[in-house]
Amino acid sequence: SLDRHVLELLRRFSKGRPAIVFCHTKKETENVAIELSGKYGVAPNSPASAALSNLANQTTIAAMQRCLRKGIAYHHAGLEASDRHLVEDAFAKGSIRCLCATSTLAMGVNLPAHLVIVKGTVAWRGAGQGHSEIDRGTLLQMIGRAGRPGFDT
């Protein structure tokens, strides 16, 4: 698991530019985002903090508000459509420096990033299947968010 390396990888390779951390479960996206907001988030007195507070006030999810105030967010199918769109728009505009998401983000949302971290290529698929490799197409969609010409220069 890359759990203990995510922060180090972000600091080393993101260069302050947008990053996506792909997680396997909805809960994991939230947990990683909350953890990163405390260690990798924007300082409260930074020039962006007022805009981030305004952004955070557009959702009613307390955990999301705390993350957004630090320039971090999460995205998964369990969020209301309005919260998913809020996060997608903010990331596309560069307001969010790190987005923790499930693979569903890679399959229909055009959000390029400077850095993509995939927290593992094996995921739990339920009691009937157990752990199995992420299919190649999904993995390619996830890593294809990074280094896109015209978006990441």
Side-chain angles (χ1 to χ4, degrees), residues 104-120:
T104 56
L105 179 78
M107 302 307 258
V109 181
N110 185 22
L111 289 181
H114 175 74
L115 175 69
V116 168
I117 297 172
V118 179
K119 285 196 57 205

Side-chain angles (χ1 to χ4, degrees), residues 28-98:
E28 186 180 21
T29 65
E30 296 174 18
N31 290 341
V32 172
I34 290 165
E35 181 179 340
L36 289 175
S37 69
K39 297 177 181 177
Y40 186 70
V42 172
N45 58 353
S46 79
S49 62
L52 290 170
S53 284
N54 289 338
L55 183 64
N57 290 336
Q58 295 178 49
T59 181
T60 59
I61 304 169
M64 180 72 82
Q65 289 175 335
R66 287 191 303 276
C67 291
L68 286 170
R69 284 188 180 98
K70 297 291 193 159
I72 310 291
Y74 55 88
H75 185 288
H76 56 67
L79 295 173
E80 295 289 331
S82 60
D83 289 319
R84 285 195 311 271
H85 294 305
L86 173 70
V87 168
E88 292 164 11
D89 291 344
F91 188 80
K93 291 175 183 170
S95 301
I96 295 173
R97 67 188 298 189
C98 182

